[in-house]
Amino acid sequence: MPGMMDTILNLGLNDETVEALSKKTANPRFAWDCYRRFVQMYGDVVLGVQKLPGEDHEPFETVIGGLKKERHGNSEIEDPKLSTDDLKELVARFKALVKERTAANSRPAHGISSRARPRVFGSWMNDRAIVYRRKYNIPTEWGTAVNVQAMVYGNTGDKSGSGVAFTEIPPMATRSSMANS
C-alpha cells in the first residue's frame, strides 16, 4: 500500500553519520537532505510533532517555508534549490522544534529503531490505510509488515529518482488492465 502507511527514511542518521555519508558520497547536500528528512519523519511519526489546534500548516512545513523566505525571499522555491547550509540550518531548526514540542531530545541515545517499528505497524490503522483497504477490498486481518532495508536514494541529483515496484499484480490492478498497458 505505497504511500498509505507511515514511513521513516534514513533511520540511523545522526550528527556523526551524516558527516560520514557526506564524505563517502562526496555529496554533502545529499547527506544533509537525508538527515533533515529523517529528523522530520521521526519527529512526526514517532514523537508526534504534528499540527496543533489553531495552526494552519504542519509544523515542519512551516519551518521549511520560514527558512526559504528568510534565505531566498520566497517560501515557494523547490526543495532541491536549498543549499547544504540551508539544509544544515533546517536540521538545527527541526531539532529545536522537536525539543520544544516533545520536551525530548530529538536524537535518543538508543532505541531509535525499536521506537519506530511500533509506529509504522500502527499506521496500518491510520485513516489513509483504512480508506485504501476499503477501496480495494483488502481485509484488515491480512495485517502488515515493517521493512527495514537499505535505502535507494532519489535525492542525489537531478538525474536520480526512486519509486515503487511490484513483483506481482497489485490489488488495485486487474489482469486485463495490466495486459492492456
Side-chain angles (χ1 to χ4, degrees), residues 12 28 33 45 50 59 71 105 145:
D33 187 42
V45 173
Q50 297 179 359
R71 293 195 169 194
N105 185 338

Side-chain angles (χ1 to χ4, degrees), residues 116-151:
R117 279 190 311 267
R119 294 301 197 145
V120 174
F121 270 122
S123 71
W124 177 251
M125 295 306 294
N126 75 26
D127 291 342
R128 291 184 318 271
I130 291 168
V131 168
Y132 184 92
R133 284 196 306 276
R134 282 185 190 147
K135 183 175 181 179
Y136 296 108
N137 298 313
I138 299 170
T140 302
E141 298 78 32
W142 282 4
T144 189
V146 171
N147 295 315
V148 179
Q149 64 188 44
M151 289 293 300

Side-chain angles (χ1 to χ4, degrees), residues 20-134:
L21 181 62
S22 177
K23 286 180 181 137
K24 175 110 176 141
T25 62
N27 190 342
R29 192 206 172 279
F30 156 72
W32 282 91
D33 187 42
C34 289
Y35 192 23
R36 72 102 181 166
R37 290 169 191 259
F38 166 69
V39 174
Q40 181 176 358
M41 291 176 152
Y42 194 85
D44 176 19
V45 173
V46 177
L47 300 176
V49 176
Q50 297 179 359
K51 186 168 54 167
L52 296 174
E55 291 180 338
D56 293 331
H57 303 286
E58 297 298 327
F60 291 105
E61 295 304 317
T62 299
V63 171
I64 292 171
L67 180 127
K68 287 176 177 180
K69 190 164 178 98
E70 284 173 33
R71 293 195 169 194
H72 302 279
N74 179 358
S75 62
E76 301 299 318
I77 69 162
E78 296 176 2
D79 290 357
K81 303 256 188 246
L82 296 176
S83 69
T84 302
D85 287 338
D86 291 338
L87 294 167
K88 287 179 178 182
E89 179 61 23
L90 269 181
V91 167
R93 291 183 189 191
F94 281 0
K95 287 179 173 183
L97 172 67
V98 168
K99 190 171 187 176
E100 172 191 317
R101 294 278 178 107
T102 66
N105 185 338
S106 65
R107 194 183 134 229
H110 59 82
I112 290 175
S113 178
S114 64
R115 291 180 73 186
R117 279 190 311 267
R119 294 301 197 145
V120 174
F121 270 122
S123 71
W124 177 251
M125 295 306 294
N126 75 26
D127 291 342
R128 291 184 318 271
I130 291 168
V131 168
Y132 184 92
R133 284 196 306 276
R134 282 185 190 147

